[in-house]
Amino acid sequence: MSFEFDLTAPFQPEFTTKDQITNRHKIRPILVPSANGDRFRLNENGLRSVLGHSAIQNRKVVIISVAGAFRKGKSFLLNFFLEYLYALQKSQQNDVPLDWLGEETQVHGFHWRSGAKRDTVGIWMWGEPIMIENHLGENLAVVLLDTQGAFDNQSTYQQCTTIFALSTIVSSLQIYNVVDAIQEDSLQNLSLFVEYGRLAMQHAKQFGKPFQSLCFCVRDFKAPEEFAFGEEGGDQYMDHTSPDQPDELRATRDQLSECFDKLLCYLLPHPGHRVAERNSFRGHVKELRPVFREEIRKMVMTLLSPEALQPKIVNGKPATCKRMIQYFKEYAATFDSSTMPLPMNILQANARLLNYEATQDAKSVYCRLMDRATSGHSMIPEKKLLENHIRCGIAAVNAYDRHPKIIAEAGDQKDNHEKLQELINAEFERYKRVNSAKKVPGCVHTLTACGDSVLLGLGLGAAASGAVAGTVFALAAGIGSAGIVAIPFSLVTLTGIWLYIYTKPLFMRCVASRHREDRLLESDRKDTDRT
């Protein structure tokens, strides 16, 4: 199995961060990676339609995924998440009490149904991020994922493992949906992440734990007299089951705590036979068992409250919507057709992402400094331009080296430096073209464009010779008054040129210093306001 990429023209989505609930009925899930035989196709246009709008591209993103066995109610569960998030957004925007999951509520959104035939193939992403303000006042873009049914009779083990791995890697909260109990195979499916966790803690321990939150959602739990429904009973259930498991599985369970920042468990009752057995069920809350309705309410509000929402963290930094598109592409490209997803593959993907971010930041440093050095209207000498290029290039390389790195393979650091130098050189060619295209008006700019002291002296000498010759010619012609006037005029002109040449750099430095002081004062003011 391998990934293909949609290379058609970028899709520009329409999006508004206000009154999303009004237009909710127009939104549909989008199949992001979709299965096509033994290949997966990454729908980059679909990704951009959800995450690529300019209004949200720099917003921190929260990605919540539900994974697990097929036909066990993952999409059904996600629709409760949708209902809560839209109601929460309405409450925040209109400053009204939160009201959701009432008697007349109908949950809907992701397609779900009962039966033996698989419905979801690949990873479905809700068609828009839902903008929620967290407890710190930040507007977060919350994205929901519904994964392909794991280990069904229509998919290979490799296909299911790849989808499960991809959804877990990109999620800030992965909900593992299981039925009745946490079986041995449920923990075995997580062994990949345990192995990757060990590898990451060796090579990238500076970024902390590689994953954020994993929540086991045990559906249709049948022993509430022993372990109460909800989070507290789930924690007790997790602690109780581990001693009775084989050593390998118990070790896997213990090691999950070392890989994930949070490890949670919720026990949920059966939703009611009207939900499970009637194909005519359309999501009406009044048809749910009261005990299920109460427990699902508590679970959703605990996991998705403004205090609980956590942005996706990649290599120690919160991910933005814009960056998340690149992350999806990199992780999808990690899994090729010849092998199962391996821990080293994931580590190498994270190393490439770190290098990508460090390279982009270094390029920004180079361009910012070069913009400042070439900001004048007149062309600067080629020698001076080359000096600026070298100085700004050194600053860019230093900025690159300050970024944390993951060195997954020998030789990576050298190769990355060479690629950065190629990128900087390409930018330098652009600055050379821009500099050459600048017009140099007037005699003064023609003289000062020479730049070098020898050529500048020749230019001034030529100007002085011309002025004196004009004076002599005027006197010889008998135009005495003109000759007398020409002498001081020539001297004044030469003095003006000299003053311009030698005072302009000082003036520009003063202006630049003043601008830096203004920026520092503005930055201090903003920091004070935030405090």
Side-chain angles (χ1 to χ4, degrees):
M1 180 195 62
S2 64
F3 276 91
E4 295 177 332
F5 289 83
D6 181 359
L7 300 178
T8 55
F11 177 77
Q12 298 297 326
E14 295 182 4
F15 182 79
T16 175
T17 58
K18 292 187 177 181
D19 298 325
Q20 286 184 284
I21 196 169
T22 304
N23 300 314
R24 175 186 170 184
H25 65 283
K26 301 177 183 178
I27 307 301
R28 296 291 182 272
I30 294 173
L31 194 55
V32 183
S34 57
N36 182 16
D38 62 346
R39 302 180 70 85
F40 273 89
R41 177 174 175 269
L42 185 66
N43 180 7
E44 187 174 341
N45 277 350
L47 274 175
R48 293 187 183 280
S49 72
V50 179
L51 300 174
H53 197 277
S54 59
I56 59 168
Q57 63 179 352
N58 294 320
R59 295 289 186 188
K60 296 176 183 178
V61 62
V62 180
I63 299 186
I64 300 167
S65 173
V66 178
F70 89 113
R71 197 59 60 229
K72 299 302 181 182
K74 298 186 301 298
S75 302
F76 177 64
L77 183 63
L78 278 161
N79 288 340
F80 287 97
F81 294 177
L82 282 176
E83 193 66 34
Y84 171 76
L85 289 172
Y86 278 118
L88 177 60
Q89 183 193 74
K90 181 179 179 180
S91 170
Q92 291 180 340
Q93 290 183 352
N94 299 310
D95 195 22
V96 296
L98 176 63
D99 182 22
W100 79 292
L101 217 59
E103 282 286 340
E104 302 304 318
T105 301
Q106 180 184 13
V107 296
H108 59 92
F110 287 93
H111 188 204
W112 70 277
R113 64 183 180 184
S114 60
K117 187 177 179 181
R118 183 180 60 195
D119 189 33
T120 308
V121 183
I123 297 179
W124 292 89
M125 177 181 287
W126 187 242
E128 67 176 4
I130 305 172
M131 306 306 297
I132 300 296
E133 183 179 313
N134 68 3
H135 64 295
L136 300 175
E138 295 179 296
N139 279 321
L140 305 178
V142 183
V143 177
L144 300 183
L145 301 182
D146 185 7
T147 68
Q148 174 189 22
F151 310 107
D152 55 46
N153 56 8
Q154 300 178 50
S155 302
T156 66
Y157 181 83
Q158 182 176 339
Q159 287 176 330
C160 297
T161 302
T162 299
I163 286 295
F164 187 32
L166 182 58
S167 68
T168 303
I169 291 169
V170 301
S171 298
S172 46
L173 169 61
Q174 174 68 284
I175 298 174
Y176 194 2
N177 189 70
V178 298
V179 176
D180 295 338
I182 301 176
Q183 304 292 344
E184 292 183 9
D185 59 349
S186 300
L187 292 177
Q188 287 173 339
N189 295 337
L190 293 164
S191 60
L192 169 66
F193 308 108
V194 170
E195 293 302 318
Y196 170 68
R198 291 174 178 171
L199 194 64
M201 295 304 286
Q202 292 175 6
H203 295 273
K205 60 183 179 181
Q206 68 269 34
F207 302 120
K209 296 183 180 181
F211 303 109
Q212 289 173 258
S213 297
L214 174 65
C215 176
F216 287 93
C217 179
V218 184
R219 307 284 295 277
D220 307 344
F221 186 67
K222 294 181 172 58
E225 66 284 351
E226 187 174 1
F227 303 103
F229 294 130
E231 181 180 9
E232 185 176 349
D235 290 341
Q236 295 172 356
Y237 172 74
M238 290 283 286
D239 293 338
H240 176 77
T241 56
S242 56
D244 301 329
Q245 294 171 341
D247 291 342
E248 182 180 351
L249 294 176
R250 184 166 64 251
T252 299
R253 188 264 179 226
D254 293 340
Q255 289 163 359
L256 286 173
S257 298
E258 300 176 5
C259 300
F260 288 85
D261 286 328
K262 290 184 180 180
L263 190 60
L264 308 169
C265 181
Y266 278 86
L267 306 179
L268 290 180
H270 195 284
H273 294 295
R274 299 186 68 179
V275 176
E277 297 179 358
R278 289 182 55 188
N279 290 331
S280 59
F281 180 70
R282 295 293 181 267
H284 293 288
V285 170
K286 61 185 177 183
E287 296 184 4
L288 299 173
R289 290 177 63 197
V291 63
F292 178 85
R293 175 179 168 183
E294 182 59 27
E295 292 301 331
I296 194 69
R297 178 200 294 272
K298 290 191 294 186
M299 172 184 165
V300 171
M301 294 183 68
T302 300
L303 292 177
L304 306 186
S305 69
E307 294 77 17
L309 291 175
Q310 295 295 322
K312 173 62 183 171
I313 303 295
V314 179
N315 294 327
K317 295 173 61 177
T320 62
C321 291
K322 181 180 180 180
R323 288 287 174 91
M324 206 66 222
I325 297 174
Q326 179 67 28
Y327 298 159
F328 260 98
K329 291 168 62 178
E330 187 62 57
Y331 287 133
T334 298
F335 307 129
D336 63 25
S337 59
S338 59
T339 61
M340 291 282 290
L342 297 175
M344 181 55 73
N345 298 145
I346 304 173
L347 184 68
Q348 290 169 343
N350 278 330
R352 289 192 294 270
L353 287 172
L354 267 176
N355 181 64
Y356 172 80
E357 292 180 357
T359 300
Q360 293 302 310
D361 288 346
K363 176 184 172 182
S364 297
V365 169
Y366 174 82
C367 292
R368 184 169 62 252
L369 294 176
M370 284 294 287
D371 286 342
R372 188 181 304 165
T374 60
S375 59
H377 296 292
S378 59
M379 183 178 68
I380 63 177
E382 184 175 346
K383 178 183 176 181
K384 185 66 174 179
L385 185 66
L386 181 59
E387 290 174 353
N388 288 328
H389 163 65
I390 294 173
R391 176 177 56 83
C392 299
I394 292 172
V397 172
N398 289 338
Y400 176 86
D401 289 339
R402 286 194 296 269
H403 271 262
K405 304 290 189 308
I406 298 175
I407 307 302
E409 292 182 346
D412 280 355
Q413 187 75 351
K414 180 181 178 181
D415 292 342
N416 293 339
H417 273 110
E418 290 176 354
K419 292 176 182 177
L420 174 61
Q421 190 60 55
E422 291 175 1
L423 184 64
I424 290 175
N425 289 340
E427 288 296 317
F428 179 51
E429 293 299 320
R430 179 175 65 85
Y431 281 103
K432 287 168 64 176
R433 291 193 298 270
V434 172
N435 186 58
S436 299
K438 289 182 178 179
K439 295 180 179 180
V440 189
C443 176
V444 172
H445 288 299
T446 303
L447 294 173
T448 58
C450 297
D452 294 339
S453 58
V454 174
L455 295 177
L456 179 60
L458 291 175
L460 288 173
S465 300
V468 173
T471 303
V472 171
F473 175 77
L475 291 173
I479 312 175
S481 59
I484 295 171
V485 171
I487 293 173
F489 179 77
S490 301
L491 293 175
V492 169
T493 301
L494 290 174
T495 303
I497 293 174
W498 183 86
L499 288 173
Y500 174 82
I501 292 168
Y502 286 98
T503 60
K504 180 181 177 182
L506 179 61
F507 175 75
M508 295 303 295
R509 285 196 295 270
C510 291
V511 171
S513 176
R514 180 62 180 176
H515 286 173
R516 284 194 297 270
E517 291 177 0
D518 290 343
R519 287 196 298 269
L520 288 173
L521 289 173
E522 179 66 16
S523 177
D524 292 341
R525 186 187 63 78
K526 290 182 178 179
D527 291 342
T528 302
D529 291 344
R530 283 196 295 268
T531 304

